[in-house]
Amino acid sequence: MTRTTYYTATTLDGFLADEHDSLEWLFRQHIEEDGPMAYGPFIATIGALVMGATTYEWIRAHHLEKGEAWAYSVPTWVMTHRELAPVVGADLRFARGDVRPVHEAMAAAADGRDLWVVGGGDLAGQFVEAGLLDEIWVQVAPVTLGAGRPLLPRPVDLRLEEVARNGDFACMRYGVVGTAP
Ligand SMILES: NC(=O)c1ccc[n+]([C@@H]2O[C@H](COP(=O)([O-])OP(=O)(O)OC[C@H]3O[C@@H](n4cnc5c(N)ncnc54)[C@H](OP(=O)(O)O)[C@@H]3O)[C@@H](O)[C@H]2O)c1
């Protein structure tokens, strides 16, 4: 069965990025690439992914404009209300509104592999509210920011499934129970 997972790093106080979309806090942490819940084994299971417009534009600004290639070989949906420039060589689908038809199209494209909700947090919340998110995997960095882009700004009940340490990070895997009252 296709699983849909929100997999992300976060600060201890629940931010994906600072108010200026900087990930400097993340890149100074240490992680073992072959350690628990690491990115490599995770991405190997993924057949399609979805991200919000801010995340897409961050990738464009920080990787592609430096001449680096698009990082993902699988189809990628970008949620936006705007006309965003595509990336040469990337399999991109732009969409807006209800995430349910997006999820259906992702599952068809993934052909039995799993789906990754890259972020941001509100987009992950939209998948929870549609009943379409199965798990949340977080790598919690030992840093607080006080403000920034939130990990998940909607009320969600979770079930703790797994806890591990990888380098500087506390890694947690949660099952999604549903929207919280
Ligand atoms: N720590 C990590 O590992 C990690 C992981 C992921 C992301 N990040 C970073 O965290 C930040 C996340 O930014 P963010 O909180 O602004 O979230 P985001 O999801 O990247 O972007 C939010 C934007 O996506 C568009 N959007 C979302 N849902 C939509 C829908 N259903 N229909 C149409 N458009 C929709 C809207 O943009 P428009 O209306 O303007 O088009 C919305 O303002 C970024 O800086 C990213 O680089 C960090």
Side-chain angles (χ1 to χ4, degrees):
M1 193 187 82
T2 301
R3 297 194 69 74
T4 304
T5 300
Y6 177 33
Y7 175 100
T8 189
T10 177
T11 67
L12 179 62
D13 56 346
F15 295 107
L16 298 178
D18 76 10
E19 291 165 305
H20 308 289
D21 292 306
S22 172
L23 296 180
E24 185 278 331
W25 61 271
L26 178 58
F27 296 136
R28 59 187 151 88
Q29 313 298 333
H30 171 69
I31 194 158
E32 298 288 340
E33 288 180 8
D34 56 355
M37 298 175 65
Y39 177 76
F42 172 78
I43 193 69
T45 67
I46 297 301
L49 53 99
V50 61
M51 63 182 67
T54 313
T55 300
Y56 175 72
E57 292 194 302
W58 187 95
I59 293 169
R60 285 185 63 87
H62 290 82
H63 292 290
L64 306 176
E65 287 175 10
K66 291 178 192 158
E68 296 171 23
W70 180 249
Y72 309 111
S73 59
V74 299
T76 299
W77 272 256
V78 178
M79 301 301 298
T80 185
H81 298 100
R82 293 173 285 144
E83 296 293 322
L84 299 178
V87 172
V88 175
D91 185 349
L92 294 173
R93 331 276 167 99
F94 295 94
R96 67 181 66 190
D98 191 345
V99 296
R100 286 172 295 187
V102 172
H103 185 269
E104 192 177 335
M106 290 173 68
D111 198 22
R113 283 183 291 163
D114 292 336
L115 310 181
W116 177 22
V117 178
V118 180
D122 187 71
L123 180 61
Q126 293 174 48
F127 278 81
V128 173
E129 290 194 1
L132 293 171
L133 196 72
D134 298 301
E135 292 195 336
I136 298 177
W137 294 28
V138 286
Q139 288 90 37
V140 182
V143 58
T144 62
L145 291 174
R149 307 292 189 185
L151 171 65
L152 218 177
R154 299 191 186 202
V156 180
D157 277 335
L158 303 168
R159 182 182 57 251
L160 182 61
E161 299 281 12
E162 187 178 346
V163 178
R165 177 178 185 162
N166 186 329
D168 292 332
F169 294 86
C171 305
M172 270 88 78
R173 181 169 66 86
Y174 294 94
V176 175
V177 176
T179 53

